[in-house]
Short mmCIF file of all heavy atoms in Angstrom, two decimals:
data_model
loop_
_atom_site.label_atom_id
_atom_site.label_comp_id
_atom_site.label_asym_id
_atom_site.label_seq_id
_atom_site.Cartn_x
_atom_site.Cartn_y
_atom_site.Cartn_z
N ALA S 440 3.19 -6.24 63.91
CA ALA S 440 2.04 -5.43 64.34
C ALA S 440 0.77 -6.27 64.44
O ALA S 440 -0.03 -6.13 65.37
CB ALA S 440 1.83 -4.28 63.37
N THR S 441 0.57 -7.18 63.49
CA THR S 441 -0.66 -7.99 63.52
C THR S 441 -0.65 -9.00 64.65
O THR S 441 -1.70 -9.52 65.03
CB THR S 441 -0.85 -8.71 62.17
OG1 THR S 441 0.31 -9.46 61.84
CG2 THR S 441 -1.16 -7.70 61.07
N SER S 442 0.54 -9.30 65.19
CA SER S 442 0.57 -10.21 66.35
C SER S 442 0.01 -9.50 67.58
O SER S 442 -0.48 -10.16 68.51
CB SER S 442 2.00 -10.68 66.62
OG SER S 442 2.82 -9.60 67.05
N VAL S 443 0.13 -8.17 67.58
CA VAL S 443 -0.44 -7.38 68.68
C VAL S 443 -1.93 -7.16 68.46
O VAL S 443 -2.75 -7.32 69.35
CB VAL S 443 0.29 -6.03 68.79
CG1 VAL S 443 -0.37 -5.16 69.87
CG2 VAL S 443 1.75 -6.24 69.10
N ASP S 444 -2.27 -6.76 67.17
CA ASP S 444 -3.66 -6.47 66.84
C ASP S 444 -3.87 -6.75 65.36
O ASP S 444 -3.33 -6.04 64.51
CB ASP S 444 -3.98 -5.00 67.15
CG ASP S 444 -5.44 -4.65 66.86
OD1 ASP S 444 -6.18 -5.52 66.32
OD2 ASP S 444 -5.83 -3.50 67.14
N PRO S 445 -4.63 -7.80 65.01
CA PRO S 445 -4.82 -8.15 63.60
C PRO S 445 -5.38 -7.02 62.74
O PRO S 445 -5.18 -6.99 61.53
CB PRO S 445 -5.81 -9.32 63.66
CG PRO S 445 -5.59 -9.92 65.03
CD PRO S 445 -5.29 -8.76 65.93
N THR S 446 -6.10 -6.07 63.35
CA THR S 446 -6.68 -4.98 62.56
C THR S 446 -5.62 -3.99 62.07
O THR S 446 -5.92 -3.10 61.27
CB THR S 446 -7.73 -4.20 63.38
OG1 THR S 446 -7.09 -3.58 64.52
CG2 THR S 446 -8.83 -5.15 63.87
N LEU S 447 -4.38 -4.12 62.55
CA LEU S 447 -3.31 -3.22 62.10
C LEU S 447 -2.78 -3.59 60.71
O LEU S 447 -1.97 -2.85 60.14
CB LEU S 447 -2.15 -3.23 63.11
CG LEU S 447 -2.48 -2.63 64.49
CD1 LEU S 447 -1.31 -2.81 65.43
CD2 LEU S 447 -2.83 -1.14 64.34
N LYS S 448 -3.22 -4.71 60.19
CA LYS S 448 -2.76 -5.12 58.86
C LYS S 448 -3.11 -4.06 57.80
O LYS S 448 -2.29 -3.71 56.94
CB LYS S 448 -3.38 -6.46 58.47
CG LYS S 448 -2.97 -6.95 57.08
CD LYS S 448 -3.62 -8.30 56.77
CE LYS S 448 -3.20 -8.79 55.37
NZ LYS S 448 -3.84 -10.10 55.05
N GLY S 449 -4.32 -3.52 57.90
CA GLY S 449 -4.76 -2.53 56.92
C GLY S 449 -3.91 -1.26 56.95
O GLY S 449 -3.43 -0.81 55.89
N PRO S 450 -3.70 -0.64 58.12
CA PRO S 450 -2.86 0.56 58.16
C PRO S 450 -1.43 0.31 57.66
O PRO S 450 -0.85 1.17 57.01
CB PRO S 450 -2.89 0.96 59.64
CG PRO S 450 -4.18 0.41 60.14
CD PRO S 450 -4.39 -0.86 59.40
#
Side-chain angles (χ1 to χ4, degrees):
T441 54
S442 67
V443 175
D444 182 355
T446 63
L447 293 175
K448 179 179 179 181

